[in-house]
Amino acid sequence: PVQGVKLTPRRYAYLKISEGCNHRGRFCTIPSIQGDLVSRPISAVMDEAEGLVRARSEERLVVLQDTSANGVDLKYQTDLWQG
């Protein structure tokens, strides 16, 4: 299905805000598998989060590989959400 296959309890919903990683250490394979960090614009994240609330998910789990780098690739640009 378009929304993907869900293998967790119905009350959980995952919200991916970025993918990939810019750190090239020998200890991690994420950059070679998923590539460089790509952050989603905040308006897209908020729209998806709003949809998850409408779908009555009780817990929204934010998912990303490198929390300290989210938005670096976007140069922390501002983005409008609902005006």
Side-chain angles (χ1 to χ4, degrees):
V2 175
Q3 71 274 15
V5 176
K6 204 164 176 191
L7 301 175
T8 56
R10 296 179 76 181
R11 68 178 186 271
Y12 293 137
Y14 293 96
L15 179 60
K16 184 179 276 194
I17 63 173
S18 69
E19 191 165 340
C21 182
N22 293 336
H23 300 289
R24 298 280 189 265
R26 289 186 299 177
F27 58 89
C28 184
T29 60
I30 290 172
S32 61
I33 295 170
Q34 295 184 337
D36 289 337
L37 175 79
V38 178
S39 302
R40 292 178 61 199
I42 191 64
S43 59
V45 172
M46 293 301 291
D47 286 341
E48 184 176 345
E50 202 172 45
L52 295 173
V53 170
R54 280 194 305 272
R56 298 183 181 219
S57 64
E58 295 174 24
E59 293 185 50
R60 272 97 31 214
L61 307 167
V62 176
V63 180
L64 66 158
Q65 279 78 32
D66 186 357
T67 56
S68 65
N70 185 56
V72 169
D73 58 317
L74 302 176
K75 300 191 178 11
Y76 300 107
Q77 71 188 21
T78 57
D79 190 12
L80 294 176
W81 178 64
Q82 296 184 347

